[in-house]
Amino acid sequence: MRRYQNFIGGEWTAAHQQAVFVTHNPADTRETVAEYAAGGQPEARAAIEAAQAAAPAWGAMTPVARGRILSAASQILDARKKELAELLTREEGKTLAESAGEVQRAVDIFRFYGGLSYTVGGQTIPHDLPGNFLYTRREPLGVVALITPWNFPIAIPAWKLAPALLAGNAVILKPASQAPAMAMELARALAEAGLPKGVLNVVTGEGRAVGAELANHPAVAALSFTGSYTVGQTIYQRLALRMARAQMEMGGKNPTLVLADADLDLAVNLVIKAGFGLTGQACTATSRVIVEKAVLPAFMDKLVARTRALKVGPGYAPGVDMGPAVSAAQLESNLAYVRGAVAEGATLIYGGERLEEGELAHGHFMQPTILAGVKPAMRIACEEVFGPVLAVLAADDFEHALSLANSVEMGLSASLVTRDLKKAMIYAERIQAGVVKINQISTGLALQAPFGGVKKSSTDSFKEQGPGALDFYTRIKTVYLDYSV
Ligand code: NAD
């Protein structure tokens, strides 16, 4: 078992009264993966004070100097990829291949922002009068807080941390308690890469206590949150009271539309990967499959056959396609959604059961699940499940499919499978989503492109990822210089 303490002011420190909590392997809960400090308000406050002390010197360094530290951290993470992927799988449950991909993403994110450091700066703007120089400076905000979920425990902290640090801010990171190891390992790598003490502080512990302090404290200039809508809304309201900058990225109810002209084998491949990959625990996972009636029977036959063949098991076992749910609570919630859908009149086509045979007895495993005959008003068609459950809806035609796709309150990612270029372009124009995928899985993002949702998936004020991520973590100052006088 690993032991981590909070990382505050560059030191690993215990929580008040040595309080701790542990994480268990979701594939075998008899295994304790790691122990953490159970931080609360005092630890959050200490982290904010450490960040306040470190922010001026860090902010005064050049972006290129800061970028060198990010690039060095990328190399350190790269050297530890295998170890980190194994730890990620033991703590969060996804398959080793999925963990390896996610760790690689963190390596690449730090490499990207390290390189981007050579371009960070303001703008020159032509003035109306001669002898005048008009330009902008891009400046750090000071102290910023990051609150992250458990489902991408290294990629999401990385895609917030790298631009926040490159911009010159001091940071307090609060990872989710289900899987904090990757955040602690990021702190270790950045410290080894030469990050000055206090520039990054990581506090583990109860979300409400740590998160409330981060949201309420006047020294925290901005807070970037990824997680559920309920928690995001609570934090947003706190930040609004003191008019602090906010970025809330929340859940999805992402559709994949399968049109009558689609390559059905491709469509099934995409739906399987986007619906059951990562055990459905992705904000961009496909959870609604909207199929034109003309191809519905043929599509369902192929979908069920492929689903039946999926191997469920521990993420570290060879040949496993789908790992466990992260926790007993998540598993129970998934199964409750399936029961609820059937009670509302949906048809359970495949799955819907917990898996407890043999080596699965001590883990949070369930079958990949397909529900058909789903109507738009059912809860299973409207609410995020965050598990391996597909709700299949029948559409009369493209227009009907599009209106079904737009009928939910969330709008994160949306796929379309078609060979019709015109329909693809209309979809990109009219779908209410932050990310549109044509003939691609609804999950998976390019780290160099903007990412974020619309509607209840996001506050939709700033995008994450890509060069534009710096906008959230910086402020622009406009300078007028008259040298004609
Ligand atoms: P969650 O909202 O339960 O927790 C997210 C974080 O908030 C955790 O660190 C948690 O400890 C903290 N927290 C909990 N209560 C808090 C409070 N009262 N005040 C402050 N912080 C608090 O979410 P989760 O279960 O960790 O993650 C799953 C959710 O995240 C899903 O809804 C998923 O769609 C969403 N998600 C969104 C994206 C995206 O980019 N849009 C990406 C991944 C996950």
Side-chain angles (χ1 to χ4, degrees):
M1 183 181 76
R2 290 179 182 235
R3 286 197 165 79
Y4 295 99
Q5 294 184 312
N6 283 324
F7 187 63
I8 299 175
E11 309 294 336
W12 297 96
T13 52
H16 184 59
Q17 294 185 329
Q18 312 289 319
V20 294
F21 68 96
V22 295
T23 54
H24 296 284
N25 177 353
D28 184 344
T29 54
R30 293 169 301 179
E31 182 193 340
T32 306
V33 178
E35 180 189 277
Y36 301 91
Q41 193 193 28
E43 287 74 21
R45 192 163 289 178
I48 294 167
E49 284 164 8
Q52 275 183 287
W58 179 245
M61 280 168 66
T62 64
V64 171
R66 293 193 292 259
R68 281 198 190 104
I69 294 174
L70 301 186
S71 300
S74 169
Q75 288 174 348
I76 292 167
L77 293 169
D78 197 32
R80 289 188 192 145
K81 259 185 326 206
K82 190 164 176 290
E83 171 205 336
L84 293 178
E86 281 169 11
L87 179 56
L88 200 170
T89 287
R90 286 207 176 267
E91 193 166 64
E92 195 271 351
K94 63 184 65 172
T95 67
L96 262 184
E98 289 166 343
S99 292
E102 190 185 332
V103 174
Q104 183 63 50
R105 176 52 62 102
V107 169
D108 293 344
I109 286 169
F110 280 97
R111 192 161 58 95
F112 175 79
Y113 286 101
L116 194 73
S117 67
Y118 287 92
T119 72
V120 177
Q123 211 189 345
T124 58
I125 302 155
H127 197 279
D128 356 20
L129 299 173
N132 275 264
F133 183 38
L134 175 57
Y135 73 102
T136 63
R137 287 171 48 83
R138 194 182 269 281
E139 298 183 345
L141 301 177
V143 174
V144 303
L146 314 174
I147 300 182
T148 54
W150 49 264
N151 68 319
F152 288 113
I154 191 160
I156 295 179
W159 86 45
K160 292 185 191 294
L161 252 182
L165 293 175
L166 174 58
N169 300 291
V171 176
I172 304 102
L173 167 63
K174 192 274 179 238
S177 301
Q178 292 90 335
M182 292 298 110
M184 310 319 292
E185 292 295 333
L186 280 179
R188 196 151 74 96
L190 279 157
E192 283 177 33
L195 193 73
K197 289 183 177 202
V199 172
L200 169 61
N201 306 275
V202 188
V203 180
T204 50
E206 205 223 340
R208 212 168 316 166
V210 178
E213 184 64 17
L214 296 179
N216 292 337
H217 199 294
V220 177
L223 191 151
S224 176
F225 166 86
T226 298
S228 63
Y229 181 78
T230 325
V231 173
Q233 193 185 36
T234 309
I235 300 175
Y236 194 52
Q237 284 167 347
R238 289 212 168 96
L239 294 168
L241 281 177
R242 58 184 187 88
M243 295 197 191
R245 194 179 286 195
Q247 179 180 54
M248 309 280 128
E249 293 300 328
M250 297 161 290
K253 189 67 194 172
N254 313 297
T256 291
L257 272 61
V258 181
L259 300 190
D261 70 283
D263 172 341
L264 290 189
D265 291 318
L266 172 69
V268 167
N269 263 336
L270 300 179
V271 167
I272 294 267
K273 273 196 200 136
F276 301 140
L278 302 155
T279 321
Q281 298 176 145
C283 51
T284 49
T286 287
S287 64
R288 294 180 297 149
V289 192
I290 303 173
V291 189
E292 269 195 82
K293 278 180 184 156
V295 289
L296 185 57
F299 173 80
M300 289 304 283
D301 287 349
K302 286 174 187 281
L303 180 67
V304 173
R306 283 289 311 279
T307 304
R308 227 180 259 288
L310 292 177
K311 185 172 173 198
V312 181
Y316 38 80
V320 163
D321 299 299
M322 191 178 101
V326 72
S327 63
Q330 185 65 56
L331 174 66
E332 182 39 48
S333 163
N334 297 345
L335 296 171
Y337 266 110
V338 177
R339 288 193 299 271
V342 172
E344 280 193 89
T347 310
L348 182 61
I349 300 288
Y350 183 80
E353 296 291 330
R354 182 175 179 176
L355 293 169
E356 293 176 286
E357 300 264 295
E359 63 166 0
L360 306 187
H362 300 283
H364 310 304
F365 295 99
M366 70 176 281
Q367 294 174 297
T369 298
I370 304 170
L371 293 154
V374 173
K375 301 286 176 250
M378 293 178 183
R379 278 184 67 195
I380 197 72
C382 306
E383 295 176 17
E384 182 181 51
V385 177
F386 223 54
V389 180
L390 290 173
V392 182
L393 292 91
D396 300 330
D397 52 26
F398 174 54
E399 274 301 323
H400 184 212
L402 189 53
S403 76
L404 286 172
N406 282 336
S407 68
V408 295
E409 289 186 314
M410 288 164 272
L412 192 49
S413 178
S415 281
L416 173 73
V417 195
T418 186
R419 294 181 172 105
D420 186 326
L421 181 62
K422 184 172 174 183
K423 285 179 180 155
M425 296 303 291
I426 291 171
Y427 187 67
E429 279 172 19
R430 289 178 44 200
I431 187 70
Q432 295 161 2
V435 174
V436 184
K437 298 283 199 84
I438 311 292
N439 295 325
Q440 280 196 10
I441 49 173
S442 63
T443 45
L445 303 163
L447 65 91
Q448 66 275 33
F451 172 57
V454 300
K455 296 161 93 176
K456 282 192 170 174
S457 292
S458 173
T459 41
D460 200 10
S461 39
F462 293 89
K463 290 291 181 192
E464 300 208 87
Q465 307 205 32
L470 286 171
D471 291 344
F472 178 73
Y473 296 105
T474 51
R475 63 170 64 93
I476 300 291
K477 184 182 276 172
T478 312
V479 184
Y480 293 77
L481 194 157
D482 189 343
Y483 58 93
S484 71
V485 289

